[in-house]
């Protein structure tokens, strides 16, 4: 079955620094979603990537899907305390019981 | 590790009937649970936050009288799709957080696929 592995599991950065979170799939990705979750709240959709080499940006967050469609990276430029939370990647899974699978998340803390 | 279950995993119903979906945290207590809906080829969208002992909080655009949420206990939240119509056909997924603050981890149920004929 398909699995998503996120790295790092947790990250502490100084405000203003850039950071990257990776999401690697064991199989080809047909749709890759990035979500952000603030502690105690539900997931907020950030971006969806489908095509190999695709790149999207939302404010200071950029996500890319590699050409082979097995890895995606989420890059935050000039991090701010408001970026803190859990970042989850999710993917359309074909052939499994469910329709969506998720990585285990990356916990981001931004020190002011 | 913590597990969240959903029941049923899939359901087919006739238009106009109501469907209840259960979300259970199996080995931890969750005062809050989240309900999401996914449309084909679209993102997972938060529908509502289920709160144990109080009313659910609905996201903008979600009809609370259409999607009834009851957080009956610290391990069970139910979503009832009332008078279901074909446009309600979707994949519904719940999640429950364990822990608090930086110690929080979100666990997802396996999802329920609803098909309304």
């Amino acid at each position: 079955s398909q699995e998503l592995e996120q790295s790092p599991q947790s990250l502490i950065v100084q405000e203003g620094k850039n950071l990257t979170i990776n999401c690697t799939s064991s199989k080809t990705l047909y749709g890759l979603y990035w979500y952000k979750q603030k502690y105690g709240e539900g997931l907020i959709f950030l971006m969806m990537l489908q095509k190999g080499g695709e790149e999207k940006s939302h404010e200071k967050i950029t996500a890319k899907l590699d050409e082979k469609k097995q890895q995606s990276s989420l890059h935050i430029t000039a991090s701010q305390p408001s970026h803190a939370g859990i970042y989850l990647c999710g993917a359309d899974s074909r052939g499994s019981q469910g329709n969506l699978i998720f990585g285990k998340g990356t916990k981001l803390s931004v020190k002011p | 590790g913590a597990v969240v279950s959903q029941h049923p995993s899939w359901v087919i119903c006739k238009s106009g009937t109501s469907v209840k979906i259960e979300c259970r945290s199996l080995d931890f207590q969750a005062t809050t649970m989240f309900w999401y809906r996914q449309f084909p080829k679209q993102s997972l969208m938060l529908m509502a936050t289920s709160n144990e002992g109080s009313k659910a909080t609905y996201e903008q655009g979600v009809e609370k009288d259409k999607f009834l949420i009851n957080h009956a206990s610290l391990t069970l939240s139910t979503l009832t799709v009332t008078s279901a119509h074909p446009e309600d056909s979707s994949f519904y997924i719940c999640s429950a957080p364990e822990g608090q603050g930086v110690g929080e981890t979100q666990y997802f149920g396996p999802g329920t696929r609803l098909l309304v004929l």
Side-chain angles (χ1 to χ4, degrees):
Chain A
S1 61
Q2 187 173 12
E3 293 182 351
L4 292 179
E5 187 173 323
Q6 274 187 249
S7 63
Q9 291 184 346
S10 63
L11 193 55
I12 303 173
V13 299
Q14 197 70 38
E15 181 177 359
K17 296 294 185 182
N18 303 335
L19 64 106
T20 300
I21 299 169
N22 294 303
C23 178
T24 303
S25 172
S26 56
K27 297 182 181 180
T28 300
L29 293 162
Y30 294 99
L32 190 284
Y33 308 94
W34 281 103
Y35 299 92
K36 178 187 175 183
Q37 184 224 329
K38 292 184 178 180
Y39 298 116
E41 299 180 11
L43 298 184
I44 301 298
F45 170 72
L46 295 176
M47 279 169 280
M48 175 185 173
L49 304 167
Q50 282 188 304
K51 300 177 182 178
E54 187 175 8
E55 179 176 325
K56 288 187 178 179
S57 294
H58 173 70
E59 296 178 348
K60 292 185 178 180
I61 301 176
T62 301
K64 301 178 185 179
L65 183 62
D66 73 343
E67 291 288 346
K68 293 184 178 179
K69 294 172 60 175
Q70 282 195 265
Q71 185 172 38
S72 177
S73 59
L74 184 83
H75 185 77
I76 299 178
T77 303
S79 59
Q80 299 173 353
S82 60
H83 287 126
I86 302 173
Y87 289 82
L88 278 155
C89 62
D92 288 326
S93 175
R94 300 186 179 183
S96 69
Q97 292 182 350
N99 198 46
L100 283 173
I101 58 172
F102 293 96
K104 292 186 177 180
T106 296
K107 296 183 179 181
L108 172 63
S109 298
V110 179
K111 288 186 173 182
Chain B
V3 175
V4 172
S5 70
Q6 276 185 245
H7 177 79
S9 56
W10 61 272
V11 56
I12 302 173
C13 69
K14 293 182 179 180
S15 184
T17 61
S18 293
V19 176
K20 180 185 285 188
I21 303 170
E22 294 184 348
C23 178
R24 293 182 184 271
S25 56
L26 296 184
D27 52 4
F28 67 100
Q29 293 182 334
T31 56
T32 302
M33 291 185 178
F34 303 100
W35 286 98
Y36 303 88
R37 176 178 179 177
Q38 188 200 33
F39 293 93
K41 298 185 179 181
Q42 294 186 32
S43 157
L44 202 63
M45 301 302 291
L46 179 64
M47 296 174 66
T49 301
S50 173
N51 303 299
E52 191 272 335
S54 63
K55 293 182 179 179
T57 305
Y58 290 83
E59 296 299 305
Q60 190 174 6
V62 178
E63 299 176 60
K64 60 181 180 181
D65 295 330
K66 172 77 173 175
F67 299 98
L68 299 178
I69 291 173
N70 181 28
H71 203 127
S73 72
L74 288 172
T75 59
L76 173 64
S77 174
T78 59
L79 169 69
T80 301
V81 183
T82 62
S83 187
H85 289 95
E87 57 266 30
D88 298 323
S89 298
S90 189
F91 185 70
Y92 294 86
I93 193 167
C94 70
S95 71
E98 183 188 28
Q100 292 182 339
V102 294
E104 179 179 308
T105 300
Q106 195 81 216
Y107 294 97
F108 291 89
T112 297
R113 183 162 296 286
L114 170 63
L115 177 61
V116 185
L117 303 176

